[in-house]
Short mmCIF file of all heavy atoms in Angstrom, two decimals:
data_model
loop_
_atom_site.label_atom_id
_atom_site.label_comp_id
_atom_site.label_asym_id
_atom_site.label_seq_id
_atom_site.Cartn_x
_atom_site.Cartn_y
_atom_site.Cartn_z
N TYR A 1 -100.38 11.74 -41.20
CA TYR A 1 -101.55 10.91 -41.56
C TYR A 1 -102.11 10.10 -40.39
O TYR A 1 -103.14 9.41 -40.54
CB TYR A 1 -101.18 9.93 -42.69
CG TYR A 1 -100.72 10.55 -43.93
CD1 TYR A 1 -99.76 9.96 -44.77
CD2 TYR A 1 -101.21 11.81 -44.36
CE1 TYR A 1 -99.32 10.55 -45.93
CE2 TYR A 1 -100.82 12.42 -45.55
CZ TYR A 1 -99.82 11.76 -46.32
OH TYR A 1 -99.44 12.32 -47.48
N TYR A 2 -101.48 10.15 -39.27
CA TYR A 2 -101.80 9.25 -38.14
C TYR A 2 -102.38 9.98 -36.94
O TYR A 2 -102.00 11.10 -36.61
CB TYR A 2 -100.53 8.51 -37.70
CG TYR A 2 -100.14 7.37 -38.62
CD1 TYR A 2 -99.53 7.68 -39.84
CD2 TYR A 2 -100.39 6.10 -38.27
CE1 TYR A 2 -99.16 6.65 -40.68
CE2 TYR A 2 -100.02 5.04 -39.12
CZ TYR A 2 -99.45 5.36 -40.33
OH TYR A 2 -99.09 4.33 -41.15
N ALA A 3 -103.26 9.28 -36.29
CA ALA A 3 -103.72 9.67 -34.96
C ALA A 3 -102.69 9.08 -33.95
O ALA A 3 -102.23 7.95 -34.16
CB ALA A 3 -105.12 9.13 -34.61
N ILE A 4 -102.39 9.81 -32.94
CA ILE A 4 -101.52 9.37 -31.86
C ILE A 4 -102.22 9.34 -30.55
O ILE A 4 -102.89 10.32 -30.17
CB ILE A 4 -100.24 10.23 -31.80
CG1 ILE A 4 -99.55 10.27 -33.14
CG2 ILE A 4 -99.31 9.72 -30.67
CD1 ILE A 4 -98.90 8.98 -33.56
N ALA A 5 -102.07 8.25 -29.84
CA ALA A 5 -102.72 8.11 -28.52
C ALA A 5 -101.66 7.85 -27.48
O ALA A 5 -100.63 7.23 -27.76
CB ALA A 5 -103.75 7.02 -28.57
N TRP A 6 -101.98 8.25 -26.27
CA TRP A 6 -101.20 7.85 -25.09
C TRP A 6 -102.04 6.89 -24.28
O TRP A 6 -103.22 7.11 -24.02
CB TRP A 6 -100.88 9.05 -24.23
CG TRP A 6 -99.78 9.95 -24.81
CD1 TRP A 6 -99.93 11.07 -25.56
CD2 TRP A 6 -98.40 9.77 -24.62
NE1 TRP A 6 -98.72 11.62 -25.90
CE2 TRP A 6 -97.74 10.87 -25.34
CE3 TRP A 6 -97.59 8.85 -23.96
CZ2 TRP A 6 -96.39 10.97 -25.37
CZ3 TRP A 6 -96.21 8.97 -24.02
CH2 TRP A 6 -95.58 10.00 -24.72
N PHE A 7 -101.41 5.81 -23.91
CA PHE A 7 -101.97 4.79 -23.02
C PHE A 7 -101.04 4.69 -21.79
O PHE A 7 -99.94 5.11 -21.82
CB PHE A 7 -102.01 3.40 -23.70
CG PHE A 7 -103.06 3.31 -24.80
CD1 PHE A 7 -102.79 3.86 -26.02
CD2 PHE A 7 -104.23 2.68 -24.56
CE1 PHE A 7 -103.72 3.74 -27.04
CE2 PHE A 7 -105.25 2.61 -25.58
CZ PHE A 7 -104.95 3.14 -26.78
N ARG A 8 -101.58 4.14 -20.71
CA ARG A 8 -100.76 3.88 -19.56
C ARG A 8 -101.16 2.53 -18.92
O ARG A 8 -102.28 2.10 -19.07
CB ARG A 8 -100.87 5.02 -18.58
CG ARG A 8 -102.28 5.12 -17.91
CD ARG A 8 -102.35 6.33 -16.98
NE ARG A 8 -103.63 6.52 -16.30
CZ ARG A 8 -103.91 7.49 -15.55
NH1 ARG A 8 -103.05 8.46 -15.28
NH2 ARG A 8 -105.15 7.58 -14.98
N GLN A 9 -100.21 1.98 -18.23
CA GLN A 9 -100.41 0.69 -17.57
C GLN A 9 -99.74 0.74 -16.20
O GLN A 9 -98.52 0.86 -16.10
CB GLN A 9 -99.88 -0.44 -18.41
CG GLN A 9 -100.26 -1.83 -17.87
CD GLN A 9 -99.99 -2.93 -18.84
OE1 GLN A 9 -99.25 -2.79 -19.86
NE2 GLN A 9 -100.59 -4.08 -18.63
N ALA A 10 -100.54 0.63 -15.23
CA ALA A 10 -100.09 0.55 -13.79
C ALA A 10 -99.83 -0.93 -13.45
O ALA A 10 -100.41 -1.83 -14.05
CB ALA A 10 -101.15 1.20 -12.87
N PRO A 11 -99.00 -1.13 -12.47
CA PRO A 11 -98.72 -2.57 -12.09
C PRO A 11 -99.96 -3.31 -11.73
O PRO A 11 -100.83 -2.82 -10.98
CB PRO A 11 -97.85 -2.37 -10.88
CG PRO A 11 -97.20 -1.05 -11.04
CD PRO A 11 -98.23 -0.19 -11.71
N GLY A 12 -100.15 -4.46 -12.32
CA GLY A 12 -101.27 -5.32 -12.05
C GLY A 12 -102.58 -4.88 -12.67
O GLY A 12 -103.66 -5.45 -12.37
N LYS A 13 -102.55 -3.88 -13.56
CA LYS A 13 -103.76 -3.36 -14.18
C LYS A 13 -103.68 -3.45 -15.67
O LYS A 13 -102.58 -3.58 -16.26
CB LYS A 13 -104.04 -1.94 -13.75
CG LYS A 13 -104.32 -1.76 -12.25
CD LYS A 13 -104.79 -0.37 -11.97
CE LYS A 13 -105.18 -0.22 -10.50
NZ LYS A 13 -105.66 1.15 -10.20
N GLU A 14 -104.84 -3.41 -16.28
CA GLU A 14 -104.90 -3.38 -17.76
C GLU A 14 -104.39 -2.04 -18.29
O GLU A 14 -104.43 -0.99 -17.65
CB GLU A 14 -106.37 -3.51 -18.22
CG GLU A 14 -107.00 -4.84 -17.89
CD GLU A 14 -106.52 -5.92 -18.91
OE1 GLU A 14 -106.39 -5.57 -20.09
OE2 GLU A 14 -106.29 -7.10 -18.47
N ARG A 15 -103.86 -2.10 -19.53
CA ARG A 15 -103.42 -0.89 -20.19
C ARG A 15 -104.68 -0.06 -20.51
O ARG A 15 -105.61 -0.61 -21.09
CB ARG A 15 -102.61 -1.23 -21.46
CG ARG A 15 -101.95 -0.03 -22.06
CD ARG A 15 -100.99 -0.48 -23.15
NE ARG A 15 -99.92 -1.36 -22.67
CZ ARG A 15 -98.91 -1.77 -23.44
NH1 ARG A 15 -98.76 -1.29 -24.70
NH2 ARG A 15 -97.99 -2.58 -22.92
N GLU A 16 -104.67 1.22 -20.24
CA GLU A 16 -105.82 2.01 -20.46
C GLU A 16 -105.47 3.27 -21.28
O GLU A 16 -104.35 3.79 -21.21
CB GLU A 16 -106.44 2.50 -19.14
CG GLU A 16 -105.59 3.35 -18.25
CD GLU A 16 -106.27 3.79 -17.00
OE1 GLU A 16 -107.30 3.27 -16.67
OE2 GLU A 16 -105.71 4.74 -16.33
N GLY A 17 -106.45 3.70 -22.05
CA GLY A 17 -106.27 4.89 -22.86
C GLY A 17 -106.26 6.19 -22.01
O GLY A 17 -107.05 6.28 -21.09
N VAL A 18 -105.44 7.13 -22.39
CA VAL A 18 -105.40 8.37 -21.69
C VAL A 18 -105.92 9.54 -22.57
O VAL A 18 -106.89 10.17 -22.23
CB VAL A 18 -103.94 8.70 -21.23
CG1 VAL A 18 -103.88 10.04 -20.53
CG2 VAL A 18 -103.44 7.60 -20.26
N ALA A 19 -105.25 9.74 -23.68
CA ALA A 19 -105.61 10.87 -24.56
C ALA A 19 -105.18 10.52 -25.97
O ALA A 19 -104.32 9.69 -26.16
CB ALA A 19 -105.02 12.18 -24.09
N CYS A 20 -105.80 11.22 -26.89
CA CYS A 20 -105.49 10.99 -28.31
C CYS A 20 -105.65 12.24 -29.08
O CYS A 20 -106.44 13.17 -28.72
CB CYS A 20 -106.50 9.93 -28.86
SG CYS A 20 -106.36 9.57 -30.62
N ILE A 21 -104.88 12.36 -30.17
CA ILE A 21 -104.98 13.51 -31.06
C ILE A 21 -105.00 13.02 -32.48
O ILE A 21 -104.19 12.19 -32.91
CB ILE A 21 -103.87 14.51 -30.77
CG1 ILE A 21 -104.07 15.84 -31.54
CG2 ILE A 21 -102.51 13.93 -31.05
CD1 ILE A 21 -103.21 17.00 -31.00
N THR A 22 -105.92 13.55 -33.25
CA THR A 22 -106.10 13.10 -34.65
C THR A 22 -105.06 13.81 -35.57
O THR A 22 -104.40 14.79 -35.20
CB THR A 22 -107.53 13.33 -35.12
OG1 THR A 22 -107.69 14.77 -35.27
CG2 THR A 22 -108.56 12.76 -34.21
N ARG A 23 -105.06 13.37 -36.79
CA ARG A 23 -104.23 14.07 -37.77
C ARG A 23 -104.75 15.46 -38.08
O ARG A 23 -104.02 16.30 -38.65
CB ARG A 23 -104.16 13.22 -39.06
CG ARG A 23 -105.52 12.95 -39.74
CD ARG A 23 -105.37 11.88 -40.75
NE ARG A 23 -106.63 11.61 -41.45
CZ ARG A 23 -106.88 10.47 -42.10
NH1 ARG A 23 -105.97 9.51 -42.10
NH2 ARG A 23 -108.07 10.30 -42.69
N SER A 24 -106.00 15.73 -37.73
CA SER A 24 -106.58 17.04 -37.90
C SER A 24 -106.39 17.93 -36.64
O SER A 24 -107.03 18.96 -36.57
CB SER A 24 -108.07 16.95 -38.23
OG SER A 24 -108.25 16.17 -39.41
N ASP A 25 -105.59 17.38 -35.75
CA ASP A 25 -105.28 18.14 -34.52
C ASP A 25 -106.47 18.28 -33.54
O ASP A 25 -106.53 19.22 -32.79
CB ASP A 25 -104.74 19.56 -34.84
CG ASP A 25 -103.66 20.04 -33.91
OD1 ASP A 25 -103.02 19.12 -33.27
OD2 ASP A 25 -103.47 21.20 -33.76
N VAL A 26 -107.36 17.31 -33.64
CA VAL A 26 -108.50 17.29 -32.68
C VAL A 26 -108.11 16.35 -31.54
O VAL A 26 -107.76 15.19 -31.78
CB VAL A 26 -109.77 16.76 -33.34
CG1 VAL A 26 -110.88 16.59 -32.31
CG2 VAL A 26 -110.23 17.73 -34.50
N SER A 27 -108.10 16.86 -30.35
CA SER A 27 -107.65 16.03 -29.19
C SER A 27 -108.88 15.61 -28.36
O SER A 27 -109.88 16.30 -28.35
CB SER A 27 -106.76 16.86 -28.30
OG SER A 27 -107.32 18.04 -27.84
N THR A 28 -108.71 14.48 -27.71
CA THR A 28 -109.81 13.97 -26.88
C THR A 28 -109.20 13.08 -25.77
O THR A 28 -108.12 12.61 -25.92
CB THR A 28 -110.77 13.14 -27.75
OG1 THR A 28 -111.91 12.77 -26.93
CG2 THR A 28 -110.14 11.87 -28.25
N TYR A 29 -109.92 13.03 -24.68
CA TYR A 29 -109.55 12.07 -23.63
C TYR A 29 -110.19 10.75 -23.98
O TYR A 29 -111.33 10.69 -24.43
CB TYR A 29 -110.01 12.56 -22.27
CG TYR A 29 -109.39 13.90 -21.85
CD1 TYR A 29 -110.09 15.06 -21.88
CD2 TYR A 29 -108.03 13.92 -21.46
CE1 TYR A 29 -109.50 16.26 -21.49
CE2 TYR A 29 -107.42 15.14 -21.11
CZ TYR A 29 -108.18 16.28 -21.10
OH TYR A 29 -107.56 17.45 -20.73
N LEU A 30 -109.48 9.69 -23.71
CA LEU A 30 -110.02 8.35 -23.99
C LEU A 30 -110.82 7.89 -22.76
O LEU A 30 -110.48 8.27 -21.63
CB LEU A 30 -108.90 7.43 -24.32
CG LEU A 30 -108.17 7.74 -25.62
CD1 LEU A 30 -107.03 6.80 -25.90
CD2 LEU A 30 -109.16 7.76 -26.79
N PRO A 31 -111.86 7.16 -22.97
CA PRO A 31 -112.86 6.91 -21.87
C PRO A 31 -112.26 6.29 -20.61
O PRO A 31 -112.76 6.57 -19.53
CB PRO A 31 -113.83 5.96 -22.56
CG PRO A 31 -113.74 6.20 -23.98
CD PRO A 31 -112.25 6.60 -24.22
N ASP A 32 -111.26 5.40 -20.77
CA ASP A 32 -110.74 4.67 -19.59
C ASP A 32 -110.34 5.56 -18.44
O ASP A 32 -110.55 5.20 -17.32
CB ASP A 32 -109.61 3.74 -20.02
CG ASP A 32 -110.07 2.58 -20.88
OD1 ASP A 32 -111.27 2.29 -20.89
OD2 ASP A 32 -109.20 2.05 -21.57
N SER A 33 -109.73 6.70 -18.78
CA SER A 33 -109.17 7.57 -17.70
C SER A 33 -109.61 8.95 -17.86
O SER A 33 -109.09 9.79 -17.14
CB SER A 33 -107.62 7.46 -17.78
OG SER A 33 -107.17 7.81 -19.06
N SER A 34 -110.61 9.25 -18.67
CA SER A 34 -110.95 10.67 -18.89
C SER A 34 -111.38 11.35 -17.63
O SER A 34 -111.05 12.53 -17.39
CB SER A 34 -112.08 10.74 -19.96
OG SER A 34 -113.24 10.05 -19.52
N ASP A 35 -112.10 10.66 -16.76
CA ASP A 35 -112.58 11.33 -15.54
C ASP A 35 -111.42 11.71 -14.65
O ASP A 35 -111.49 12.73 -13.94
CB ASP A 35 -113.52 10.41 -14.78
CG ASP A 35 -114.85 10.27 -15.45
OD1 ASP A 35 -115.19 11.06 -16.35
OD2 ASP A 35 -115.63 9.34 -15.10
N SER A 36 -110.33 10.98 -14.67
CA SER A 36 -109.24 11.22 -13.75
C SER A 36 -108.24 12.21 -14.32
O SER A 36 -107.53 12.87 -13.57
CB SER A 36 -108.59 9.93 -13.32
OG SER A 36 -107.96 9.32 -14.46
N VAL A 37 -108.15 12.32 -15.65
CA VAL A 37 -107.07 13.16 -16.19
C VAL A 37 -107.56 14.46 -16.82
O VAL A 37 -106.82 15.37 -17.10
CB VAL A 37 -106.20 12.43 -17.25
CG1 VAL A 37 -105.69 11.10 -16.65
CG2 VAL A 37 -107.02 12.14 -18.51
N ARG A 38 -108.88 14.53 -17.01
CA ARG A 38 -109.46 15.70 -17.64
C ARG A 38 -109.13 16.92 -16.88
O ARG A 38 -109.23 17.03 -15.66
CB ARG A 38 -111.01 15.57 -17.79
CG ARG A 38 -111.64 16.69 -18.61
CD ARG A 38 -113.18 16.51 -18.59
NE ARG A 38 -113.54 15.19 -19.02
CZ ARG A 38 -113.69 14.86 -20.34
NH1 ARG A 38 -113.50 15.79 -21.24
NH2 ARG A 38 -114.06 13.60 -20.65
N GLY A 39 -108.62 17.98 -17.61
CA GLY A 39 -108.23 19.25 -16.92
C GLY A 39 -106.81 19.20 -16.40
O GLY A 39 -106.31 20.28 -16.05
N ARG A 40 -106.22 18.03 -16.32
CA ARG A 40 -104.85 17.99 -15.83
C ARG A 40 -103.83 17.62 -16.92
O ARG A 40 -102.69 18.07 -16.95
CB ARG A 40 -104.70 16.94 -14.69
CG ARG A 40 -105.57 17.22 -13.49
CD ARG A 40 -105.24 16.31 -12.33
NE ARG A 40 -105.52 14.91 -12.65
CZ ARG A 40 -104.65 13.94 -12.61
NH1 ARG A 40 -103.37 14.19 -12.27
NH2 ARG A 40 -104.99 12.68 -12.91
N PHE A 41 -104.26 16.82 -17.89
CA PHE A 41 -103.38 16.38 -19.00
C PHE A 41 -103.79 17.03 -20.28
O PHE A 41 -104.98 17.16 -20.52
CB PHE A 41 -103.50 14.83 -19.15
CG PHE A 41 -102.93 14.02 -18.04
CD1 PHE A 41 -102.50 14.54 -16.84
CD2 PHE A 41 -102.74 12.62 -18.23
CE1 PHE A 41 -101.98 13.83 -15.81
CE2 PHE A 41 -102.18 11.88 -17.22
CZ PHE A 41 -101.79 12.45 -16.00
N THR A 42 -102.79 17.31 -21.07
CA THR A 42 -103.06 17.94 -22.40
C THR A 42 -102.15 17.26 -23.43
O THR A 42 -100.94 17.15 -23.24
CB THR A 42 -102.76 19.42 -22.39
OG1 THR A 42 -103.56 20.06 -21.37
CG2 THR A 42 -103.09 20.05 -23.75
N ILE A 43 -102.79 16.83 -24.50
CA ILE A 43 -102.01 16.21 -25.59
C ILE A 43 -101.87 17.24 -26.73
O ILE A 43 -102.77 18.00 -27.01
CB ILE A 43 -102.71 14.90 -26.12
CG1 ILE A 43 -101.85 14.19 -27.11
CG2 ILE A 43 -104.07 15.26 -26.67
CD1 ILE A 43 -102.33 12.78 -27.49
N SER A 44 -100.73 17.25 -27.38
CA SER A 44 -100.47 18.12 -28.50
C SER A 44 -99.49 17.42 -29.49
O SER A 44 -98.88 16.47 -29.06
CB SER A 44 -99.91 19.47 -28.02
OG SER A 44 -98.69 19.28 -27.38
N ARG A 45 -99.39 18.00 -30.68
CA ARG A 45 -98.51 17.43 -31.64
C ARG A 45 -97.79 18.52 -32.42
O ARG A 45 -98.32 19.60 -32.58
CB ARG A 45 -99.27 16.48 -32.58
CG ARG A 45 -100.27 17.15 -33.45
CD ARG A 45 -101.19 16.10 -34.20
NE ARG A 45 -100.46 15.38 -35.17
CZ ARG A 45 -100.83 14.13 -35.58
NH1 ARG A 45 -101.90 13.55 -35.13
NH2 ARG A 45 -100.10 13.52 -36.48
#
């Protein structure tokens, strides 16, 4: 029933969203880091 997201926090920086996957298995990159991780990171459940 839940969406699951991955966030990350580097030293001295705000926690930022990385990727998320819905309960319907739709995955997306979260805006904070999408430009840097798109094509390299994949979320699955």
Side-chain angles (χ1 to χ4, degrees):
Y1 300 148
Y2 283 76
I4 302 294
W6 285 95
F7 289 79
R8 66 184 181 183
Q9 188 166 17
K13 294 188 176 182
E14 293 282 322
R15 191 171 299 188
E16 63 178 13
V18 177
C20 176
I21 189 164
T22 69
R23 59 193 181 202
S24 302
D25 216 23
V26 175
S27 61
T28 186
Y29 296 107
L30 297 178
D32 290 341
S33 56
S34 60
D35 288 345
S36 65
V37 306
R38 188 183 304 277
R40 299 188 298 122
F41 290 12
T42 303
I43 188 171
S44 62
R45 65 192 292 157

